[in-house]
Amino acid sequence: MLRRGSQALRRFSTGRVYFKNKLKLALIGQSLFGQEVYSHLRKEGHRVVGVFTVPDKDGKADPLALAAEKDGTPVFKLPKWRVKGKTIKEVAEAYRSVGAELNVLPFCTQFIPMDIIDSPKHGSIIYHPSILPRHRGASAINWTLIMGDKKAGFSVFWADDGLDTGPILLQRSCDVEPNDTVDALYNRFLFPEGIKAMVEAVQLIADGKAPRIPQPEEGATYEGIQKKENAEISWDQSAEVLHNWIRGHDKVPGAWTEINGQMVTFYGSTLLNSSVPPGEPLEIKGAKKPGLVTKNGLVLFGNDGKALTVRNLQFEDGKMIPASQYFSTGETSVVELTAEEVKVAETIKVIWAGILSNVPIIEDSTDFFKSGAGSMDVARLVEEIRQKCGGLQLQNEDVYMATKFEGFIQKVVRKLRGEDQEVELVVDYISKEVNEIMVKMPYQCFINGQFTDADDGKTYDTINPTDGSTICKVSYASLADVDKAVAAAKDAFENGEWGRMNARERGRLMYRLADLLEENQEELATIEALDSGAVYTLALKTHIGMSVQTFRYFAGWCDKIQGSTIPINQARPNRNLTFTKKEPLGVCAIIIPWNYPLMMLAWKSAACLAAGNTLVLKPAQVTPLTALKFAELSVKAGFPKGVINIIPGSGGIAGQRLSEHPDIRKLGFTGSTPIGKQIMKSCAVSNLKKVSLELGGKSPLIIFNDCELDKAVRMGMGAVFFNKGENCIAAGRLFVEESIHDEFVTRVVEEIKKMKIGDPLDRSTDHGPQNHKAHLEKLLQYCETGVKEGATLVYGGRQVQRPGFFMEPTVFTDVEDYMYLAKEESFGPIMVISKFQNGDIDGVLQRANSTEYGLASGVFTRDINKAMYVSEKLEAGTVFINTYNKTDVAAPFGGVKQSGFGKDLGEEALNEYLKTKTVTLEY
């Protein structure tokens, strides 16, 4: 019986489970799928007594044979099992010599005689990649897509003398996504789940629990093997039917048509659900309407007026090109290799030689596929290059587009140099030698994958708070720039590669971006210190370190976003299935503050991108530089153009336009409560955008007399002075129990006197400058108000007499509930302390909650019952117990009351950037 399956390389693992009953198995077949089934059956404790597979091809053993030989399992490489309808005697004797109790055929292209099939005690089971009885035959996966099936799956069945007609042991199914290809369907579901199912089926047989369910004849179909000659496209059909035909033949045998007198094969079809982009007409034989070569690929039209896009074209000589480059003229110039690149080329030549073992010498003209390589070898080549060439990540299409060795090396070198982008990224840096390194800072708007001046040419100065000097001039985004950025993000979402990208590939890009952030952490931390005044050591650990962690965390979520099935009432005699899908929103706007420029970018954009959205981000006007450096790194990571757009400028112009823009579907904002209210109003009036807001805070910290005082002093200071007090969850008001109040204050002042105020790039500095001059002036006014109202200024309250925007760490006591200091957030290094009576738990809780804010809170006590009672009563999004500032990428973060709504971080953050679709069907 003929069986056919993809050979894409995948890794699969399951935990080892030991069962009481084990079988002696004969594995009959081949391929990587067969190898994985073999390996996992052995891990589960079954004994494979023999492997029966195909002979070596061009000197290369099949993966199943290689694995078995390595384990010492008997391997029989048989060119055939019978002659003139009769089983070959020597073959039958070899088979019976192993004493198998069950034959397992995970993937087999040979005809196995019935006396072999029926020989073992338990007979034989076969894997077939369709939901039998539909699509019997060797091209089942192809026909699942060609016929436009909404469900795909596989069957494990008991072999009989028919063609895929034996009783069913088990079946599994999955949804077919609109743009699935054969490889996508196989790699996502049929391969990994098929391995698990084969292992499960064998164990059911071993335990005596395996069913034999007769196949119904109703709904049965049989389709033959698809070959190149019958894969020609018939054009007088709907766009969806054309799309299904093309994707059903991708990659083998390949749907084709005639263009300009030669056969051209189409790959990478997707349905076009948005407006047709502009392009150049291309006449296609048999098509009533010319195709359109656009920047996104070749647009084709069905007889229903709808369209699809084809990404790649392959010509008769085997050369593959992006469809968007069909009319491009001239060959790419040959690049000369550096010494290091020559070493890479030599390594790749060894890899080619290992795969093409039948080729004596790999020459520049050696063609990978004409030398006998197949799709499995493509996957192996890509994987080996990644392992042996410093993590260089190629795509399978890179091999198809450069099949000869010389051209392949040129493509690899261009990728190593970052020259394989559609348009080379040009960055006009401001460079400064500082912190013993050369920092290179982009300063222009980043729109549609390119750095560009503002539309009207306007710029503004960004200031170094350490000395008040100008770092550089930065582009000042206009309304036109915002509109361009939104249009680019919309196009990337609706028509670009990002919208077609599978979730795991999206996660791979995010992991790569996290790696680049980490590789450039010293430069990023230095820029953060220059632009925001962050102490370098803190910037390295928190500003940059947590940004890296955030992208890695959400990269892991990309392929784990899922809906659910919901039982609903049945309307007899019909039955219903209801399920939900989580889908990206589209173009999202993100507006971030100036206290943690890169970290706030990461908190919001990582979740946004993981969910599959595109974004337009406006950094704070006073701290744009790490966001623009992030944009540069996103290109190096491989993010398609238009996915990430950064527009520096003012909130009144760029921010307001984002909140009003009709093409934006979500806006995430971190900043002040008054601005948050204005944004929410604009989002509602414009197009009822989804909104999440992280706003002001006046976080209470309650310190009881039974606390560990040393820890309370240390962490209480961190709660106020961390990041110069420019911290959204900073403890805005401390309530200290009367009996320890004076000692607490004394210890705090003693510790403050030990703090070093100075240059944030000095590794010994504890306290750097405030972010910008206007903020420093506001803090000084805050202190003046406190003194006028009668609060006691115990320490500080003044600007440090040195260049820059430095302020002394400050302590106020005797702060009464009616005072300005008790109600309003300072957002600076000002500790506001109020005393409460011994034992008055409910009284201090009432005072702590007497605020319109509710971002964070804290309590210090050794009494766990008291701690839990207080944490329950505090009205805040976060409660810290005997700690403070302990945030983590996996823990949701956000406020209540006028501190906003919605969450950053953790799984809950994904929901801010997703929509839920409910689907109900009747069957």
Side-chain angles (χ1 to χ4, degrees), residues 121-247:
K121 172 183 176 182
H122 296 291
S124 303
I125 60 170
I126 302 176
Y127 171 91
H128 183 78
S130 79
I131 307 172
L132 292 172
R134 188 162 174 79
H135 302 312
R136 293 169 176 163
S139 294
I141 312 176
N142 303 75
W143 284 103
T144 297
L145 297 177
I146 291 169
M147 300 303 291
D149 293 359
K150 302 304 180 185
K151 288 283 183 180
F154 57 81
S155 307
V156 179
F157 68 97
W158 299 93
D160 66 1
D161 59 358
L163 185 62
D164 305 330
T165 57
I168 301 298
L169 194 161
L170 61 79
Q171 291 181 319
R172 299 285 185 269
S173 66
C174 69
D175 292 331
V176 178
E177 298 296 330
N179 295 316
D180 271 340
T181 62
V182 172
D183 279 354
L185 195 57
Y186 186 78
N187 296 334
R188 185 180 78 244
F189 184 80
L190 299 176
F191 183 93
E193 295 302 318
I195 295 166
K196 288 193 284 188
M198 290 298 283
V199 174
E200 181 184 347
V202 170
Q203 193 58 50
L204 286 170
I205 296 169
D207 294 338
K209 299 178 180 179
R212 291 175 181 263
I213 304 169
Q215 289 191 37
E217 281 308 305
E218 182 182 354
T221 64
Y222 171 80
E223 297 91 6
I225 299 174
Q226 280 302 94
K227 297 181 179 179
K228 194 72 175 182
E229 56 264 29
N230 56 19
E232 184 176 5
I233 300 168
S234 176
W235 288 104
D236 191 18
Q237 302 180 87
S238 70
E240 184 175 2
V241 171
L242 293 174
H243 167 64
N244 289 336
W245 183 262
I246 295 169
R247 68 179 178 140

Side-chain angles (χ1 to χ4, degrees), residues 583-635:
E583 298 178 343
L585 298 169
V587 181
C588 298
I590 294 173
I591 302 175
I592 56 172
W594 43 258
N595 56 328
Y596 295 103
L598 187 65
M599 193 174 81
M600 290 295 99
L601 176 153
W603 279 25
K604 294 189 185 298
S605 64
C608 174
L609 294 168
N613 302 287
T614 57
L615 65 87
V616 179
L617 182 139
K618 195 199 85 65
Q621 183 172 346
V622 292
T623 53
L625 296 181
T626 46
L628 294 170
K629 190 70 179 180
F630 168 85
E632 178 194 349
L633 297 178
S634 74
V635 175

Side-chain angles (χ1 to χ4, degrees), residues 320-394:
M320 183 182 285
I321 65 166
S324 61
Q325 296 179 11
Y326 182 84
F327 289 117
S328 298
T329 58
E331 293 292 328
T332 304
S333 59
V334 176
V335 298
E336 292 187 14
L337 275 58
T338 66
E340 284 300 316
E341 290 164 350
V342 169
K343 291 180 182 178
V344 172
E346 290 172 350
T347 300
I348 293 175
K349 180 174 281 191
V350 172
I351 296 171
W352 273 53
I355 296 172
L356 306 176
S357 55
N358 56 310
V359 179
I361 300 175
I362 303 297
E363 299 177 338
D364 285 348
S365 60
T366 301
D367 188 288
F368 193 67
F369 296 105
K370 290 181 180 179
S371 299
S375 59
M376 184 181 72
D377 298 309
V378 172
R380 175 182 167 185
L381 175 61
V382 169
E383 183 68 9
E384 282 200 52
I385 289 174
R386 184 187 66 80
Q387 292 175 346
K388 297 176 181 178
C389 298
L392 175 63
Q393 188 66 57
L394 300 177

Side-chain angles (χ1 to χ4, degrees), residues 546 553-554 593 595-596 599-600 603-604 669-671 692-697 699 727-730 825 827 854-857 876-880 884-896 899-910 912-913:
M546 196 171 189
Y553 174 81
F554 282 108
N595 56 328
Y596 295 103
M599 193 174 81
M600 290 295 99
W603 279 25
K604 294 189 185 298
F669 171 75
T670 295
S692 57
L693 304 171
E694 194 249 282
L695 307 176
S699 302
N727 187 17
C728 50
I729 58 172
E825 179 183 29
F827 212 66
L855 190 56
S857 60
T878 297
V879 181
F880 298 108
Y884 209 88
N885 288 325
K886 184 63 176 177
T887 54
D888 186 88
V889 294
F893 178 91
V896 297
S899 287
F901 51 82
K903 296 293 183 183
D904 291 325
L905 305 179
E907 181 180 1
E908 287 192 40
L910 289 168
E912 303 296 333
Y913 297 93

Side-chain angles (χ1 to χ4, degrees), residues 735-788:
F735 295 92
V736 182
E737 200 159 6
E738 187 174 22
S739 59
I740 62 167
H741 174 274
D742 292 349
E743 184 179 358
F744 179 87
V745 173
T746 299
R747 291 198 189 187
V748 165
V749 172
E750 289 174 354
E751 292 302 317
I752 289 175
K753 291 177 180 178
K754 300 175 185 176
M755 292 172 65
K756 180 179 177 180
I757 302 172
D759 184 348
L761 292 173
D762 185 332
R763 304 305 193 266
S764 63
T765 294
D766 299 304
H767 189 80
Q770 305 310 134
N771 187 276
H772 52 280
K773 184 177 181 181
H775 183 54
L776 172 63
E777 292 171 349
K778 174 191 165 188
L779 293 174
L780 295 173
Q781 182 61 49
Y782 187 92
C783 292
E784 288 180 18
T785 301
V787 172
K788 288 178 182 178

Side-chain angles (χ1 to χ4, degrees), residues 492-507:
F493 182 79
E494 294 180 352
N495 304 313
E497 179 186 352
W498 183 255
R500 301 188 299 266
M501 189 177 293
N502 66 59
R504 290 183 185 173
E505 176 67 9
R506 194 162 68 240

